[in-house]
Amino acid sequence: MKELTYYLTEPVPETPKPQEKAEPWTETKIVGRPEPRVDGYQRTSGGAIYPSDVNLPGMLHGAILRCPHPHARVTSIDTSKAEAMPGVHVVITDKTPGADIPWYESSQRGDSRLFDDHCRFEGEAVAAVAAETPYQAWDAARAIEVEFEVLPFTVDFKKALDDDAPIVWGTTNRTRDARTYERGDIAAGFTAADVVLEETYNIECQLHMPMESFGSVAQWEGGKLTVWHSTQGVYPIQQGLAQNFGLPLSHVRAIGHYVGGAFGAKLWTGKYSAIAALLAKIAARPVKLFVTREETLLCVGNRPAVQMRLKAGVKRDGTLVALEMENLGSGGAYSGSGTGSADFQTRDLYLCPNVRTVSHDVYINAGEQRPMRAPGHPQNSWALEQMMDALAEAIDMCPVELRLKNIPTVSQARGDRPYSTTGFKECLEEGAEEFGWSEAREAEAANGHLKRGVGVAGCLWAAGAGGPPSTAVVRYFSDGSCNLNMGASDIGTGTKTVMAMVVAEELGVPLERITIEYADTGTTQYASASGGSKTVPTESPAVRDAALNCKSQIIKMAAGELEVPAEDLVLENGEVRSTVDPDKSIAVGQVRAFRASQVVVGVGYRGPNPEDTVTCPFAAQFCEVEVNTLTGEVKVLRFLGAHESGRVMNRMTYDNQIYGGITMGIGLGMTERRILDSNQTGKMVNRNFHDYKIPTALDVPADISTVAIDLGDTFNTTGAKGIGEPVTIPTAPAIANAVYNAVGVRITDTPINPTTLAAKLAAKREGRG
């Protein structure tokens, strides 16, 4: 479960502990306000330099030749024509010295290489070129002559275990033994149920589509490598490339100041990273290599498709008594975990004494999955939240009331440890009130072919708490300005702004007087990659500790001059003053010891999370749709997201995360799917933006509102939990439930598109469905 365990931070006893004792905030002056991005001007004016913008003197451009077949073996490669073409400096294949790099990207397999002559999916790297221009590089790549032995393929994961299915690896397509989770007595639970329902749900593969593609610029100076990388974390890039090339970590510098979107696939290195560095090393010139949009659709990651059979039992009073789930999925040709955590909410979201889940994972000849905004959870939610609505209808209970009836206070899947806060109840109640749920449900059905309906879905995100290690450094200058140094990446979510607000909160420094150094292994502190909604809850306590450390030092300096005990002093509004004697105060810049040193340096660390509790964000989302019963078209009219994600650090970026997560969830539920030709070629047939439909502004409602639930969680010193992941999880099933409420047709397979819905509506009219 690499895609989930990456985010679950366990206590690390060896990690440095916070230097200052920090009481939980009560009222705040800066934190929580809707502040615009501190780098907003740079991002909107073109001043921000993204890795794809980097241009170095003498820089070459790279291109990768990829396998055009889903399963093939390279029998010969002739690079002579490519090498003779204008502008070409380097052509590399698996025979090139230094190219025989083991590739350990998969958590299950370690026997692949950077250029593997056994290609197991369409898009596998076969060779690469570096030339003076991108056009010359691509012309040369296409001139490489490769002969393939085309092999039988398996691209339909539902048929991967058939006796006649071609094998991707070894002797079976099963990646490992089935994973089983069980508590209670599942048979007894179903016997005790008044109503038992069973359904099979399918969710299609969703592809990573960030605005900025995947790639880097690589430059060698002697035996040292510098890369400007579009990444969620510079330190994983440093570690990956150091391993690839057998270098000390000190000889690899990774820089990632800006990244044009990242939702999990940029958490660590890709083959394109190592290929760019190898081309640069051989050419002795910098090399820029960014994959094309068509390549992105094939080989940089996806949210896997999963088939889920869910059986549920409930009593007439709404008490859940049994949940049984069996999942089948594939992470592609190299990942052993396609189902991942696609059963976690079945285990943990609702109070249920009898639960059993079984997960089967198989290999297919397709690109590898990578984490994607709450790995596994949206798939699980698609099934579980539709089943909850079906159960509610079967026992004649409001869907919100059924959910409220079954809210746990402990994590049943994690040893019954209590949650630090459980805001699911408040999300449902306050969200329903703000949305106008009861009024919308009771509204009279419209005549004619346009029908409206409302839906709800809930969720938790298993991670979102963050944890150590994290180190931050704050330099507080004698003129009252500050510099914040941290290793975390800002992947477009406003991390820099939030951290500057934390410094401003503690030191009273205006945001415009705070500069930030970040995401550079050569100049900043270690930080894990930004992902899993853990960045703010991980980094903000370290930043607060560093700011408090500065404050403590300045107060001690002022205490000597004011002849007042340090414990009686506070730093506010640019001065240190006594809480006992109002005549005792001094401007920070006038503290002699501070003026003499010119700068105070505070170092902060992230402490461990409590071991006796579990911390999760919770959410409930509500939507209203309009269905055209003649065409099957669905229009999402409005959405509301109610989220218990701890303290809201910046209301503007908080709301923006909800808008973006709902948009991504609309894509998952209504428009996106990878289509592989399982009959003839095994190739992806919708490898462009015309045929692979991501949601546009016309698909997303203008009316999206938010409800923030803060129950005062004190699991860390800032009280912040994650928000980015939970927003996507319940979006698709909320839409499906709204469609059912509108027209009485249950869509169990994504996407909810006009073709599918029109057919089901016709079948219903004819009495066939």
Side-chain angles (χ1 to χ4, degrees), residues 551-595:
K551 181 188 288 188
S552 175
Q553 294 179 57
I554 291 169
I555 286 176
K556 288 177 182 177
M557 291 177 182
E561 296 187 32
L562 294 174
E563 298 181 346
V564 174
E567 56 268 24
D568 292 340
L569 295 176
V570 294
L571 191 161
E572 290 181 342
N573 301 318
E575 69 173 15
V576 180
R577 63 174 180 82
S578 170
T579 57
V580 177
D581 184 352
D583 294 330
K584 294 281 189 176
S585 66
I586 186 172
V588 168
Q590 298 304 312
V591 177
R592 287 192 299 272
F594 190 18
R595 288 163 60 191

Side-chain angles (χ1 to χ4, degrees), residues 224 238 247-253:
K224 297 180 179 179
Q238 179 195 48
L247 296 172
L249 291 173
S250 61
H251 283 36
V252 180
R253 180 181 180 185

Side-chain angles (χ1 to χ4, degrees), residues 216-229:
S216 66
V217 176
Q219 181 180 42
W220 291 81
E221 294 179 302
K224 297 180 179 179
L225 172 63
T226 300
V227 293
W228 291 260
H229 208 288

Side-chain angles (χ1 to χ4, degrees), residues 314-610:
V314 66
K315 288 185 171 293
R316 289 286 176 190
D317 67 356
T319 302
L320 279 175
V321 291
L323 289 169
E324 184 177 43
M325 188 175 214
E326 185 170 18
N327 294 342
L328 173 66
S330 175
Y334 288 92
S335 173
S337 180
T339 58
S341 55
D343 65 341
F344 193 84
Q345 292 188 101
T346 302
R347 303 182 192 184
D348 223 36
L349 181 57
Y350 295 109
L351 189 65
C352 186
N354 308 296
V355 177
R356 185 173 189 268
T357 68
V358 181
S359 299
H360 307 274
D361 296 290
V362 296
Y363 291 118
I364 61 172
N365 294 113
E368 182 183 24
Q369 67 87 23
R370 279 196 170 194
M372 189 173 191
R373 208 165 192 166
H377 287 54
Q379 295 98 312
N380 192 173
S381 190
W382 175 253
L384 179 63
E385 291 304 292
Q386 290 202 70
M387 177 59 78
M388 290 297 289
D389 263 38
L391 291 172
E393 182 181 48
I395 62 173
D396 195 24
M397 181 178 282
C398 169
V400 170
E401 291 302 319
L402 176 61
R403 289 170 171 85
L404 287 169
K405 179 82 174 179
N406 295 281
I407 294 178
T409 58
V410 301
S411 177
Q412 302 160 94
R414 290 181 275 196
D416 286 334
R417 284 186 290 162
Y419 290 112
S420 54
T421 55
T422 311
F424 194 19
K425 174 177 178 290
E426 289 78 4
C427 290
L428 287 163
E429 291 179 338
E430 296 184 33
E433 182 178 357
E434 184 71 20
F435 182 79
W437 171 259
S438 297
E439 296 83 354
R441 290 272 295 184
E442 294 167 4
E444 185 176 346
N447 294 320
H449 66 281
L450 297 178
K451 306 293 184 183
R452 290 192 175 190
V454 291
V456 63
C459 77
L460 61 76
W461 165 230
S470 175
T471 303
V473 176
V474 172
R475 293 176 176 84
Y476 191 5
F477 298 102
S478 59
D479 69 349
S481 62
C482 282
N483 171 271
L484 168 62
N485 182 289
M486 63 179 188
S489 297
D490 186 332
I491 58 177
T493 55
T495 299
K496 288 190 293 182
T497 306
V498 168
M499 301 309 153
M501 292 172 72
V502 173
V503 174
E505 184 69 42
E506 291 298 344
L507 298 179
V509 178
L511 290 175
E512 61 269 18
R513 291 178 63 81
I514 300 172
T515 61
I516 305 169
E517 299 170 348
Y518 68 109
D520 182 342
T521 62
T523 62
T524 64
Q525 314 309 306
Y526 175 81
S528 56
S530 295
S533 300
K534 69 178 184 60
T535 307
V536 167
T538 293
E539 307 301 332
S540 61
V543 172
R544 187 183 181 203
D545 189 43
L548 287 170
N549 189 231
C550 285
K551 181 188 288 188
S552 175
Q553 294 179 57
I554 291 169
I555 286 176
K556 288 177 182 177
M557 291 177 182
E561 296 187 32
L562 294 174
E563 298 181 346
V564 174
E567 56 268 24
D568 292 340
L569 295 176
V570 294
L571 191 161
E572 290 181 342
N573 301 318
E575 69 173 15
V576 180
R577 63 174 180 82
S578 170
T579 57
V580 177
D581 184 352
D583 294 330
K584 294 281 189 176
S585 66
I586 186 172
V588 168
Q590 298 304 312
V591 177
R592 287 192 299 272
F594 190 18
R595 288 163 60 191
S597 64
Q598 288 294 303
V599 62
V600 166
V601 179
V603 180
Y605 303 104
R606 169 62 152 90
N609 295 331

Side-chain angles (χ1 to χ4, degrees), residues 118-132:
H118 190 164
C119 301
R120 292 178 171 85
F121 67 93
E122 180 191 8
E124 187 115 51
V126 173
V129 174
E132 293 285 345

Side-chain angles (χ1 to χ4, degrees), residues 227-248:
V227 293
W228 291 260
H229 208 288
S230 185
T231 179
Q232 293 174 242
V234 290
Y235 281 92
I237 299 302
Q238 179 195 48
Q239 293 159 1
L241 290 172
Q243 180 187 36
N244 294 154
F245 292 95
L247 296 172

Side-chain angles (χ1 to χ4, degrees), residues 74-274:
V74 177
T75 58
S76 69
I77 300 180
D78 184 351
T79 63
S80 58
K81 290 182 180 178
E83 291 168 347
M85 294 180 71
V88 174
H89 285 254
V90 178
V91 179
I92 58 175
T93 70
D94 65 330
K95 306 301 183 186
T96 302
D100 191 24
I101 297 174
W103 200 253
Y104 301 112
E105 183 170 329
S106 167
S107 59
Q108 299 295 311
R109 309 216 68 94
D111 45 5
S112 186
R113 302 190 307 278
L114 184 63
F115 297 111
D116 200 322
D117 60 359
H118 190 164
C119 301
R120 292 178 171 85
F121 67 93
E122 180 191 8
E124 187 115 51
V126 173
V129 174
E132 293 285 345
T133 71
Y135 307 104
Q136 291 173 332
W138 276 110
D139 286 344
R142 295 186 180 105
I144 298 172
E145 297 179 354
V146 184
E147 292 187 3
F148 294 96
E149 176 192 357
V150 179
L151 303 173
F153 58 82
T154 296
V155 296
D156 185 346
F157 72 93
K158 297 173 187 175
K159 299 179 180 179
L161 296 178
D162 291 354
D163 291 340
D164 59 350
I167 301 299
V168 180
W169 288 93
T171 59
T172 176
N173 283 331
R174 187 180 290 276
T175 71
R176 54 186 168 184
D177 292 339
R179 294 176 293 117
T180 301
Y181 169 85
E182 190 164 9
R183 67 171 179 262
D185 185 332
I186 195 69
F190 283 121
T191 299
D194 295 321
V195 172
V196 176
L197 298 179
E198 184 173 354
E199 184 61 82
T200 297
Y201 304 87
N202 289 279
I203 197 159
E204 293 285 353
C205 177
Q206 184 181 28
L207 301 172
H208 278 279
M209 287 289 111
M211 286 189 291
E212 182 183 38
S213 185
F214 296 71
S216 66
V217 176
Q219 181 180 42
W220 291 81
E221 294 179 302
K224 297 180 179 179
L225 172 63
T226 300
V227 293
W228 291 260
H229 208 288
S230 185
T231 179
Q232 293 174 242
V234 290
Y235 281 92
I237 299 302
Q238 179 195 48
Q239 293 159 1
L241 290 172
Q243 180 187 36
N244 294 154
F245 292 95
L247 296 172
L249 291 173
S250 61
H251 283 36
V252 180
R253 180 181 180 185
I255 304 168
H257 290 155
Y258 288 92
V259 53
F263 306 95
K266 296 180 181 179
L267 283 166
W268 50 83
T269 54
K271 284 190 175 183
Y272 52 84
S273 315

Side-chain angles (χ1 to χ4, degrees), residues 644-666:
E644 194 263 299
S645 287
R647 179 182 294 276
V648 176
M649 303 295 284
N650 180 343
R651 188 56 190 256
M652 185 176 293
T653 55
Y654 177 94
D655 289 347
N656 288 342
Q657 283 280 60
I658 293 177
Y659 304 153
I662 286 174
T663 299
M664 186 171 280
I666 289 172

